[in-house]
Amino acid sequence: MTKALVTGVTGYVGGRLVPELLAAGIEVRAFARTPRRLADVPWRDDVEVVGGDLVDAAACVRACAGVDVVYYLVHSMSARGDFEATESEAAQNVARAAAAQGVSRIVYLSGLHPDVERLSRHLHSRVAVGRILLAGPVPAVVLQAGIVIGSGSASFEMIRHLSEVLPYMPAPRWVRNRVQPIAIRDVLRYLVAWAELPGEVNRTFDIGGPDVLRYGQMMNAYAVEAGLPQRAIAALPVLTPWLAAQWVNLVTPIPRDVAVPIIESLQHDCVVQEHDIDRFVPPPPEGLLGYRAAVRLALRREAEGQVRTSWRDASVAGASSDPIPSDPDWSGHTVYVDERTIDSTATPAQVWERIESIGGENGWYSFPLAWAARGWLDRLVGGVGLRRGRRDARRLNTGDALDFWRVESIERGSSLRLRAEMRVPGRAWLELEVAATAHGSNYRQRAVFFPLGLTGRLYWWSMKPFHGVIFSGMASRLAAPEPLGEHRQTPSASPSPG
């Protein structure tokens, strides 16, 4: 049986590739920097999970042991720091580890790009990673994909929200550029196929759907499929990529750090230049999925609540991924805690239903204007804000994004721990717990903040008056004896999820 190592399993494509490989009869080893984020994925018990970082050469060697094919699905979505050097180091580690362990092939998903000297930093880095893998001793296949369209993809979400929010759209000149989108279904089909194909192939392949469109046409085609009027689009030369990213950050859930690489990749025509992939992976009998059909499918998946993975799943650059330290580890450190407990006549099941439904359209059960203001402040400084919402309105899993939090751990029916991913001068967590008592339940809520320097301390004390209102109100409503329906906020009280 073929065995595949999949990197980037907590990302949009990697999380969807794993079940497709399993369905094809391929054994999977999932490589994750934070394995606990895979605790609740439906395929967790069907794969081997190993922890590690691609910049750790020894971890890469261990992960490649006994593997036939390596899927390299990791790339930075941050505009900050020297990500190019980090990505280059990771690619070199994987190439060497694959060679040392006798891997037959590396498959890398890169981006479609024009043949020009000046590319954006992100596209240049992805091209450089592909070259490193192709130059290594293990044969590599580099699939260069256009804009990926599927429920939960960042590109689809950006098109969706720009089209829905703005009846008239001032846009950069790149809305006139030609692009060749591809459905996530077809991307996965190409990826799976290369697990079993001849190992001597070592080259790039362009992949794209059947439609070549201008970006503005993509937005209006979305509007048609969503039942919206056609949007008037004005291409303005003054909107630079940086200004366009601020605009996208403002009117869509896509944070600035994610918007920048997407927008920079649209500065040129990005169209398939060759169709050599057809000689190895022929198109399906019905053909590749067209753009409007892909949009239609994505809209149906979202309406049915069947979004399997989302751009929200990706880690937020600069946000802590460390779990909350245990209480004894706090000794010697400055730690601020806001803790509240309430005895309630509500059953533990009633309280838990409220806890697990928190965020997104339901809001945070107290002072919605303050939560909205905190979300907008986070957006203004480039954070994710509240518009990221949640993927499932009723159920949370470990690793899920929840507005500007991340689910660090969940024990269904008893406890939920959230790690802050908003921009704060320190590290923050929010714990919500419920336990049964003789007369109902006991609700415990704890906000924990590890400040960074003087700024962190000033931040906590400046926010303390608001915490007194927000956290006390939230605790009271979550533990209230009345039915949940009386405590739900209307969607207008809190920004809706994407």
Side-chain angles (χ1 to χ4, degrees), residues 91-113:
Q92 292 173 21
N93 286 342
V94 170
R96 295 189 189 110
Q101 296 288 18
V103 172
S104 300
R105 162 169 292 131
I106 299 172
V107 182
Y108 171 50
L109 182 62
S110 184
L112 195 62
H113 62 277

Side-chain angles (χ1 to χ4, degrees), residues 112 114 145-149 159 174-182 207-219 262-263 265-272 291:
L112 195 62
I147 293 173
V148 177
I149 301 298
I159 293 168
W174 48 256
V175 295
R176 295 174 177 165
N177 290 344
R178 296 185 309 144
V179 292
Q180 194 161 352
I182 182 169
I207 59 173
D211 301 317
V212 177
L213 303 166
R214 298 189 187 279
Y215 200 82
Q217 290 176 315
M218 291 176 61
M219 288 189 279
I262 294 176
I263 290 171
S265 69
L266 299 172
Q267 300 309 301
H268 307 279
D269 288 347
C270 287
V271 178
V272 169
Y291 173 70

